């Protein structure tokens, strides 16, 4: 992760401020602050949130690397601007202060005011932790108090936000300030969603239904994730936070139930979530298309955040399994290797002759989006990524993810050295010891694990995904873990109709794809994997900032196209025998697969993850 | 077709007027005519077109069956209203006369003014042919002259409409009036599309790209259908009309090229077109999803209209093959059997636990739509359907489609009796004879055809899809044609990833589907066809207004769901062997399939056309 995170701190975060300037986000806050004149720029009501996400990313970057004086000064100016834009009563939202003045809290379904407040709170908490500076936190507290004075069953407005986010933020604000009211307010927002507050009338026409905002059922009654994926996932992060703080068993049960449903039926192999472009919806169970997979980068980020909370709540390894898969294969594809271009949607396939690459959701990376929620979201996640690697308690240290670095917990301090994800060798050196348990996650994809302490092998039976080693650790003790990383061919549940008869290539935590430009012939629609041929892995340090490629053999369907109709019948009750065009495969051709996260960094062209086997 | 067409004339058309009243379409025209006061209702600029389509349907209905006095009076009042709404200079569009007064011709991309004009012209031509009455035709001519005075390379506006339609209508107006200017204007609109007139700036954000309106390439240079399916198909109908009238070889070549590309790569087995909900787009080659197939009813109607023009232009049988498939399996599903409820989108699959049935594009039939383009479009097509059955010239009669009825052409008159589509026996009795060629289309799906004249067998080698019998016909001569209709299992080109390993059931021109409610167990996601078991066809006159059902045997995947992750790997270079959940099939279960056109007429539930074979 070091190279990818260096790009974040050295390219993405410094560049982000310029993007927010040119896209108008800062201009809109200046209008709200009375510092400039003009019209609100853009037609979206949540542009402030991009600024807050960027402030959060800057805070985490400062905490780890520090900021250049220029960048710190620019960041401080943004903080001052946010403070200046806040109304005297604590309210803060440039859309409703400038473009829709006087309409505050009148459009909870689409207005995103509480959503923006949530991102402000998260940025303020990060800023406070990183800098110790109180200013932004005071802004967030004033806005939270403003919200608390308005929202409640017995207050002026009984309502929730169309886009969840404020729930998890309020729990974090409670943790940061100790103020019980914020926890109670989070509980209120969690409990009141699902009672139709956002959809008082039957929806009609092309408008989204109540499930879009998770307003169709209270979360304790829901059996399936539904609607807009990012909304659902941010909400479940808040639900889980609340369950952690309150010990509410029914909330925990709901979160566990919905997670299992989502993982088992609505998750792409990449960890990507959201099957529909239309309404950015989860789609039905097992509806997991390839070329039209939406898999919004923000949904993957939200999934990582939710999985981390579930891991802390339950201690179960599977949540960090899914987080690992999602980080490498659903978050990381969202940003180019050089940190300058982005994906909003992350399809699993691009067909030959794909025509339409325009727009936010197209399959060519863009420098920024009209709706630019994803880029600063990637920045804040990657800037804070080590937070998701290790947990600790009085009894020990749990390593959830493997990346080189030093990790400090209450019980002790460890240093990790690893060639992950290219090799599965991990060395953990104890820097500060004591008698405690070192817990090492053995990923679900790993069928062959070896471990030792100071060169002496230890038992590696890990029924629940955790290898636990307890002893009185001395500084300098070295725990070695070796996770075998053979190339794997993976098939899907047959109810995933979209990939019937196909295999995906995986190695370690990485899902692989084929890009047209790496193959000896153009086009991938006619590609057929030869599953009987050997697959080999080779590390190429000069390719795509250094990747391990997988090579094998394939065939191509003959391209003959004699008929105008692509369907062929067999007569009577026997199965059809002659699909057209004839598919007599060609001679074997080599192929080269790259990690999916690195796709679309060279040229446009066809791409696919799932490979037909016949 | 008789029963379905009776519903059209007896239910749909009479009821349609009430829908147009309650949806506001007539109110808006009254506003334009100054007959009432108030606000424009609805937020779409093309609501007038629904009125015109209904007028066209009423005209065709009158020509065949006559109208009741009440309905004829109401229809005449609508014609009078349209006349009253027209401006003195010929312009007529309630959106731009009421909601956007003063903005005429300023938004060609979205305004739909020429599109509405096209539907007005088509309605006027139909009205004139059906009634001989000149009033509506005069309105259309005045509007056409208004358009002709404004649009042209050397006139006030050099532009085309974002939604094609006026091109084919102007050719029809030329045919009806003999006025060359209308043909020239159609040629202008055909030639000027594809030069970026609609997209002067690079598109950004979520806006549609130039291909959406077929403005990315001149039609003579295009190699693939693209963009919004209905726009593309209406445009190609106009291109083909123009090629017919002008003999332009390059236009004909373009139409033939694009038809072949569409049929071979972008057509669902139903004949449905349009793979994306987003932008109602054709999608990429071989991108033919099931549950998210858009297959707008209007696109199917447009395909029938285009296919008919291609059949007349070329004489080739394949165009009427596709029209037959499309009529039965893509148009007819758009209206309920009782004629009161409609589908906008026509998916090929509804999954178990499908949640979201709301909105215009949901999988429950609706009484009307916010964007109600489809219902009156179905009405006008079904009301004029016999126009698509038979063509004639000095040399004979060509029977393109088979339905009981009498058909008159220049050369002679024939009476057709058939049990189509349930049985393939067709008797053609000559009512008015002479020496000419009777051409009978032998559908591409038929592998076994017998024919005879007055009981004497004739040769049935039909290399080009036409069985031609030339003789001096006497009144009372009977030609018998028998098209064998075994049940067929059909597979798709393997590049259609969505249906790999699946078969569809077909019989005669009909595509079959399974509805959950007809099966002995709930759910269809776990359905596996037993392709080794016999399939039987039984006609059930009491079911769904009388259908032939297909029965066979199936198995179900075990529903066990032990794991949270639906993907399973095999190690090393061997193929994965154990998808999860285990798929050991259950004991055989019978299944019942119904014609797809009749689905969603009883209860909600799962549905699928393509059936996994393992």
């Amino acid at each position: 992760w070091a190279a990818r995170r260096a790009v974040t701190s050295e390219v993405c975060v410094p560049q982000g401020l310029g993007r927010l300037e040119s896209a108008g986000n800062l201009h809109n806050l200046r209008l709200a602050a009375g510092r400039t004149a003009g019209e609100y720029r853009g037609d979206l009501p949540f542009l402030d949130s991009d600024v807050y996400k960027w402030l959060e990313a800057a805070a985490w970057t400062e905490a780890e690397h520090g900021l250049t004086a220029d960048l710190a000064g620019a960041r401080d100016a943004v903080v001052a601007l946010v403070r200046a834009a806040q109304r005297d009563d604590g309210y803060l939202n440039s859309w409703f202060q400038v473009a829709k003045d006087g309409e505050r809290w009148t459009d909870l379904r689409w207005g995103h005011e509480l959503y923006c407040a949530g991102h402000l709170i998260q940025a303020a908490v990060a800023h406070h932790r990183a800098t110790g500076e109180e200013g932004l936190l005071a802004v967030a507290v004033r806005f939270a108090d403003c919200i608390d004075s308005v929202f409640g069953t017995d207050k002026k407005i009984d309502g929730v936000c169309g886009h969840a986010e404020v729930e998890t933020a309020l729990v974090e604000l409670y943790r940061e300030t100790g103020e019980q009211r914020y926890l109670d307010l989070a509980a209120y927002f969690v409990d009141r969603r699902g009672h139709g507050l956002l959809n008082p009338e039957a929806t009609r026409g092309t408008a989204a239904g109540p499930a879009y905002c998770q307003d169709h059922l209270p979360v304790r009654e829901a059996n399936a994730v539904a609607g807009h994926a990012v909304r659902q996932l941010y909400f479940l992060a808040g639900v889980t936070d609340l369950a952690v703080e309150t010990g509410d068993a029914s909330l925990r049960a709901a979160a566990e139930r919905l997670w299992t449903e989502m993982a088992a039926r609505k998750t792409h192999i990449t960890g990507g979530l959201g099957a529909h472009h239309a309404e950015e919806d989860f789609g039905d169970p097992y509806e997991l298309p390839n070329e039209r997979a939406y898999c919004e980068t923000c949904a993957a980020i939200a999934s990582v955040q939710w999985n981390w909370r579930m891991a802390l709540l339950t201690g179960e390894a599977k949540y960090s399994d899914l987080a690992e898969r999602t980080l490498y294969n659903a978050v990381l594809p969202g940003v180019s290797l050089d940190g300058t271009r982005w994906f909003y949607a992350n399809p699993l396939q691009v067909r030959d002759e794909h025509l339409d690459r325009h727009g936010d959701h197209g399959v060519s990376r863009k420098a920024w989006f009209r709706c630019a929620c994803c880029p600063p979201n990637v920045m804040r996640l990657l800037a804070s990524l080590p937070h998701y690697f290790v947990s600790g308690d009085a009894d020990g240290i749990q390593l959830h993810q493997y990346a080189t670095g030093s990790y400090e917990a209450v019980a002790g301090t460890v240093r990790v050295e690893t060639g992950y994800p290219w090799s599965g060798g991990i060395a953990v050196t104890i820097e500060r010891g004591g008698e405690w348990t070192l817990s090492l996650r053995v990923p679900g994809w790993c069928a062959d694990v070896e471990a030792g302490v100071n060169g002496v092998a230890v038992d590696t039976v890990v029924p629940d995904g955790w290898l636990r080693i307890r002893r009185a650790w001395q500084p300098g003790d070295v725990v070695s873990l070796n996770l075998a990383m053979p190339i794997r061919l993976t098939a899907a549940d047959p109810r995933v109709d979209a990939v019937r008869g196909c295999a995906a290539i995986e190695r370690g935590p990485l899902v692989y794809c084929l890009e047209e430009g790496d193959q000896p012939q153009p086009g991938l629609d006619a590609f057929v994997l030869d599953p009987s041929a050997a697959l080999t892995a080779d590390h190429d340090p000069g390719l795509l900032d250094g990747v391990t490629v997988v090579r094998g053999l394939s065939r191509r369907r003959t391209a003959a196209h004699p008929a105008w109709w692509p369907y062929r019948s067999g007569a009577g009750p026997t199965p059809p025998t002659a699909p057209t065009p004839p598919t007599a495969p060609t001679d074997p051709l080599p192929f080269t697969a790259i990690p999916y996260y690195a796709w679309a960094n060279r040229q446009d062209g066809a791409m696919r993850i799932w490979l037909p086997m016949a």
Side-chain angles (χ1 to χ4, degrees), chain A:
Chain A
W1 284 105
R4 304 273 62 78
R5 297 191 60 237
V7 168
T8 300
S9 60
E10 292 161 18
V11 179
C12 301
V13 172
Q15 189 180 64
L17 200 59
R19 306 280 195 221
L20 294 170
E21 190 63 77
S22 57
N25 308 60
L26 297 172
H27 166 82
N28 293 333
L29 282 167
R30 281 188 206 107
L31 289 172
R35 291 186 175 183
T36 189
E39 299 281 312
Y40 188 91
R41 285 177 53 193
D43 55 359
L44 296 171
F46 47 82
L47 293 181
D48 293 354
S49 65
D50 299 337
V51 177
Y52 303 145
K53 287 178 189 168
W54 181 85
L55 283 173
E56 184 182 341
W60 299 130
T61 301
E62 176 163 19
E64 187 171 353
H65 305 287
L67 299 177
T68 64
D70 280 358
L71 193 58
R75 191 272 316 272
D76 292 345
V78 173
V79 170
L81 174 61
V82 169
R83 293 182 68 164
Q86 188 169 37
R87 288 271 163 95
D88 290 343
D89 65 355
Y91 185 86
L92 175 52
N93 185 295
S94 69
W95 174 257
F96 284 97
Q97 291 172 230
V98 177
K100 301 281 178 184
D101 192 20
E103 300 180 30
R104 185 196 290 196
W105 308 132
T106 59
D107 184 12
L108 293 178
R109 190 168 182 196
W110 293 112
H112 286 76
E113 290 153 288
L114 294 169
Y115 166 87
C116 288
H119 281 299
L120 169 65
I121 291 168
Q122 290 185 329
V125 169
H127 186 75
H128 185 243
R129 289 187 195 161
T131 67
E133 202 266 325
E134 299 276 349
L136 195 59
L137 188 62
V139 174
V141 163
R142 279 198 299 275
F143 197 3
D145 291 342
C146 167
I147 294 165
D148 188 43
S149 72
V150 171
F151 283 88
T153 46
D154 55 351
K155 293 177 187 169
K156 189 175 159 201
I157 300 174
D158 184 20
V160 300
C161 185
H163 198 315
E165 158 65 22
V166 76
E167 299 82 2
T168 185
L170 284 167
V171 177
E172 288 177 48
L173 189 62
Y174 156 75
R175 290 173 182 149
E176 194 72 8
T177 65
E179 176 56 68
Q180 177 72 28
R181 281 187 299 119
Y182 303 141
L183 189 64
D184 296 342
L185 188 57
Y188 163 78
F189 285 132
V190 166
D191 289 336
R192 291 300 286 153
R193 187 179 299 272
H195 296 279
L197 296 178
L198 291 165
N199 295 77
E201 299 164 37
T203 55
R204 65 180 194 95
T206 55
Y212 176 77
C213 308
Q214 296 76 47
D215 198 32
H216 60 307
L217 274 179
V219 66
R220 289 180 179 82
E221 299 172 24
N223 288 313
V225 293
H228 185 284
V230 177
R231 283 166 161 81
Q232 173 73 87
L233 292 162
Y234 280 170
F235 183 60
L236 286 167
V239 165
T240 306
D241 275 331
L242 198 61
V244 168
E245 296 301 331
T246 65
D248 185 318
S250 66
L251 275 186
R252 172 172 170 160
E256 292 183 325
R257 187 171 65 242
L258 291 173
W259 187 92
T260 302
E261 193 276 335
M262 178 187 84
R265 310 202 302 179
K266 293 174 181 165
T267 309
H268 282 87
I269 191 171
T270 56
L273 296 162
H276 289 191
H277 280 241
E279 297 184 11
E280 312 181 290
D281 192 275
F282 267 109
D284 287 338
Y286 305 108
E287 180 187 345
L288 295 164
N290 291 304
E291 67 275 76
R292 293 295 286 173
Y294 193 60
C295 293
E296 183 183 338
T297 305
C298 282
I301 291 165
S303 174
V304 170
Q305 294 174 331
W306 183 33
N307 274 293
W308 178 244
R309 287 158 173 81
M310 292 297 288
L312 296 183
L313 174 63
T314 67
E316 293 182 43
K318 63 183 179 184
Y319 301 109
S320 293
D321 272 10
L322 185 55
E324 176 183 69
R325 177 178 293 275
T326 305
L327 280 167
Y328 281 111
N329 305 294
V331 174
L332 206 46
V335 55
S336 67
L337 294 176
D338 65 4
T340 63
R341 292 177 307 131
W342 308 87
F343 272 139
Y344 196 116
N346 295 276
L348 278 70
Q349 177 182 15
V350 178
R351 289 182 174 274
D352 300 352
E353 300 179 47
H354 181 73
L355 178 67
D356 197 355
R357 296 174 175 274
H358 81 274
D360 278 9
H361 306 154
V363 300
S364 294
R365 296 182 183 276
K366 304 289 185 299
W368 206 247
F369 303 113
R370 166 177 166 273
C371 173
C373 50
C374 299
N377 219 0
V378 172
M379 294 177 205
R380 69 179 184 133
L381 181 71
L382 292 187
S384 63
L385 197 64
H387 300 189
Y388 299 88
F389 288 171
V390 177
S391 62
D393 53 29
D395 196 45
I397 297 178
Q398 301 87 41
L399 298 185
H400 296 257
Q401 309 295 345
Y402 298 108
T404 296
S406 284
Y407 303 95
E408 187 164 351
V410 173
T413 303
V414 297
R415 165 125 200 113
V416 174
E417 304 272 354
T418 179
Y420 218 76
W422 310 121
S423 62
I426 299 146
V428 182
T429 305
I430 309 297
E431 295 190 328
R432 179 164 56 83
E435 183 169 348
W436 41 267
T437 301
L438 178 66
S439 299
L440 303 157
R441 186 177 64 88
V442 177
W445 53 258
C446 182
D448 180 11
V449 56
E450 295 175 355
V453 177
N454 298 329
V456 180
V458 299
D459 185 21
T460 55
V461 177
V462 284
D464 68 349
W466 287 110
L467 174 64
R468 297 184 183 83
I469 308 173
R470 185 175 185 85
R471 64 171 61 195
W473 298 105
Q474 304 296 323
D477 281 350
V478 176
V479 178
S480 62
L481 179 68
N482 196 56
L483 306 171
M485 285 189 177
I487 300 163
R488 312 191 302 280
L489 285 179
T490 299
D493 184 307
R495 287 171 291 191
V496 184
D497 294 287
V499 301
R500 182 173 289 107
C502 294
I505 296 171
E506 298 186 282
R507 182 172 180 275
L510 299 179
V511 176
Y512 278 71
C513 72
L514 271 63
E515 282 197 297
E516 182 176 7
D518 289 324
Q519 316 312 326
Q521 282 190 353
L524 288 173
D525 282 1
F527 182 94
V528 181
L529 180 70
D530 181 348
S532 67
L535 298 170
T536 59
D538 298 292
H539 195 73
D540 184 343
L543 181 68
L544 295 163
D545 290 0
V547 293
T548 297
V549 300
V550 171
R551 295 194 175 92
L553 290 182
S554 65
R555 296 171 187 271
R556 293 292 187 283
R557 304 182 201 287
T558 52
H561 202 293
W564 61 269
W565 189 238
Y567 306 96
R568 279 294 172 274
S569 300
T574 55
T577 51
T580 186
T583 60
T586 59
D587 291 337
L589 285 169
F591 74 82
T592 302
I594 62 166
Y596 172 66
Y597 79 76
W599 85 283
N601 276 287
R602 291 169 294 176
Q603 66 292 310
D604 285 341
M607 181 278 292
R608 65 187 304 160
I609 287 176
W610 288 101
L611 308 173
M613 292 193 291

